[in-house]
Amino acid sequence: MLLPNIYTQTSPKSSTMALFTYLSRTRTSSSSAAAAIKPHLSSFLRRGVRCMSNVPENTVYGGPKPQNPNQRITLTQIRQKHRKGEPITVVTAYDYPSAVHLDTAGIDVCLVGDSASMVVHGHDTTLPVTLEEMLVHCRAVARGATRPLLICDLPFGTYESSSTQAVDTAVRVLKEGGMDAIKLEGGSPSRITAAKAIVEAGIAVMGHVGLTPQAISVLGGFRPQGKNISSAVKVVETALALQEVGCFSVVLECVPPPVAAAATAALRIPTIGIGAGPFCSGQVLVYHDLLGMMQHPHHAKVTPKFCKQFARVGDVINQGLVAYKEEVTNRSFPGPAHSPYKMSEADMDGFMKELQKLGLDEAAASTAEAAEMFKKAESSNGEIPESN
């Protein structure tokens, strides 16, 4: 039995239709048809799987298309990484430059965290940051990060009152902030109810258990969780409750590694650790922390002990600013190399004459002196000689 060349069609959809059409027109037995199809089936399925790992909308509008590496990462791809056991990378960002950096580095998820309250706005906690401020950060990040999945923290006071308030806030984050999903802290039944309402409204939700910074009033400060039996059980149970209401992932913050391992094993969704050890499905760190931007002693209080500094950008920034101040002070910057805009000699002479006509003789003299100094600097080593 010869099978038509249906596996060279442009998409799995057309290949499937051709296969059904062929089988309906033949009178072969099901066993002989299966035997004929079997050699081709594995390659067909491989093509199907590859095409179905795409942006979901493409499977509705126009059929599946191969994933473009420049396209936004989707929840489908995050789930696939989790199933394959591939670690998920998450970093916070709060503005256009940091978002571009995450994009260039190939980070999977960009979290616009309410940690902006501390590392951007200078507060001691995450509580003061407002929804309006978070939306400004979201829009800037959305313009810079074209590839990572974009998630925004719902700030304190914007989702606790009712499910209606929670959904309304989440809708604004997606519509006005350009985000793909939201994150909320799920330490209480009311917040788990809020997560359920947001999911049912059609918005993806990442949960957060362990140390929940918005609850420091109840927790008594930034304290690790899960250090005794009841607290450890609560971490796992809360994570399971968030999974039950439809969260696609859960952040585990500041819990002992064995507790994080237990939660990761108990859940069917990815866990993202921060100060929770290596046994999570992925890791998240604050942009400013991992890059070592907070080197000033005033910022030591907001740099967590669990964070590894993969760079000391703060030192480099400080050195650059000191060097800039020194060169401006000694007038070596800007020199000819950084003063690119020039006038022809004819225009220069005409300009000085116009100044003299206006009675601005001192300005004309300064113009002539500056032109002469730059001429000498360009012909020598680029340094501007001091004026008399």
Side-chain angles (χ1 to χ4, degrees):
M1 170 178 163
L2 296 177
L3 210 63
N5 189 18
I6 61 174
Y7 300 99
T8 59
Q9 302 288 338
T10 57
S11 70
K13 179 181 178 182
S14 56
S15 298
T16 304
M17 291 303 297
L19 177 60
F20 283 134
T21 300
Y22 172 76
L23 291 177
S24 66
R25 291 176 179 174
T26 61
R27 297 186 179 182
T28 56
S29 67
S30 59
S31 58
S32 60
I37 293 170
K38 188 174 181 180
H40 307 276
L41 189 56
S42 61
S43 63
F44 176 74
L45 290 176
R46 281 197 299 273
R47 289 187 64 226
V49 169
R50 185 162 62 247
C51 290
M52 290 303 290
S53 63
N54 296 331
V55 178
E57 294 81 15
N58 287 348
T59 66
V60 176
Y61 302 107
K65 299 174 183 177
Q67 179 68 44
N68 184 330
N70 295 321
Q71 288 178 335
R72 176 98 47 213
I73 287 177
T74 65
L75 289 185
T76 300
Q77 291 167 283
I78 296 298
R79 293 183 181 114
Q80 287 175 342
K81 292 196 74 166
H82 177 233
R83 284 197 296 269
K84 295 175 182 177
E86 298 175 0
I88 300 164
T89 55
V90 187
V91 179
T92 65
Y94 315 99
D95 56 18
Y96 178 80
S98 58
V100 171
H101 289 155
L102 266 60
D103 207 59
T104 304
I107 300 298
D108 297 318
V109 179
C110 174
L111 172 64
V112 184
D114 59 357
S115 46
S117 179
M118 302 171 74
V119 298
V120 176
H121 297 279
H123 298 295
D124 291 336
T125 71
T126 63
L127 302 184
V129 73
T130 67
L131 177 59
E132 298 303 327
E133 289 170 330
M134 290 298 292
L135 289 173
V136 171
H137 291 302
C138 286
R139 288 190 288 268
V141 167
R143 286 189 286 268
T146 60
R147 182 181 178 276
L149 183 74
L150 301 180
I151 304 176
C152 174
D153 267 324
L154 296 193
F156 178 71
T158 65
Y159 63 100
E160 297 89 346
S161 297
S162 67
S163 295
T164 300
Q165 182 201 33
V167 172
D168 289 346
T169 302
V171 167
R172 288 194 65 189
V173 167
L174 265 64
K175 289 176 70 71
E176 300 177 33
M179 297 289 102
D180 302 311
I182 64 96
K183 181 173 82 66
L184 56 74
E185 296 181 4
S188 66
S190 63
R191 294 187 177 203
I192 293 171
T193 300
K196 183 175 187 292
I198 296 170
V199 171
E200 289 178 349
I203 298 172
V205 176
M206 173 183 276
H208 185 152
V209 301
L211 169 59
T212 48
Q214 293 179 9
I216 59 171
S217 177
V218 175
L219 298 177
F222 292 102
R223 299 181 182 276
Q225 302 297 300
K227 295 180 67 176
N228 57 49
I229 296 173
S230 61
S231 180
V233 170
K234 182 180 178 182
V235 167
V236 177
E237 288 180 340
T238 306
L240 285 168
L242 288 167
Q243 174 183 262
E244 185 65 24
V245 298
C247 290
F248 71 89
S249 178
V250 174
V251 170
L252 304 175
E253 180 168 2
C254 293
V255 300
V259 177
T264 301
L267 295 172
R268 301 184 306 276
I269 58 177
T271 57
I272 306 298
I274 177 167
F279 306 113
C280 297
S281 313
Q283 298 292 329
V284 57
L285 283 177
V286 170
Y287 180 86
H288 295 71
D289 294 343
L290 77 92
L291 292 179
M293 296 184 72
M294 300 299 197
Q295 299 299 334
H296 195 283
H298 292 177
H299 298 298
K301 62 186 177 183
V302 298
T303 302
K305 64 174 68 175
F306 58 75
C307 178
K308 176 180 178 179
Q309 291 187 347
F310 290 84
R312 289 182 65 87
V313 175
D315 286 342
V316 177
I317 292 172
N318 290 338
Q319 292 166 8
L321 291 172
V322 169
Y324 164 74
K325 179 180 183 295
E326 181 180 345
E327 291 195 14
V328 171
T329 301
N330 65 26
R331 299 186 183 279
S332 61
F333 174 83
H338 299 97
S339 304
Y341 313 111
K342 297 177 173 59
M343 296 177 72
S344 67
E345 289 190 13
D347 285 336
M348 187 70 70
D349 291 339
F351 176 51
M352 288 189 289
K353 289 176 181 177
E354 290 298 323
L355 289 173
Q356 290 169 342
K357 289 179 183 179
L358 294 170
L360 301 173
D361 293 341
E362 187 175 344
S366 295
T367 301
E369 183 182 5
E372 183 63 25
M373 288 172 62
F374 255 75
K375 190 174 182 180
K376 289 179 179 179
E378 289 174 337
S379 62
S380 58
N381 59 1
E383 294 183 0
I384 301 175
E386 294 184 7
S387 58
N388 295 327

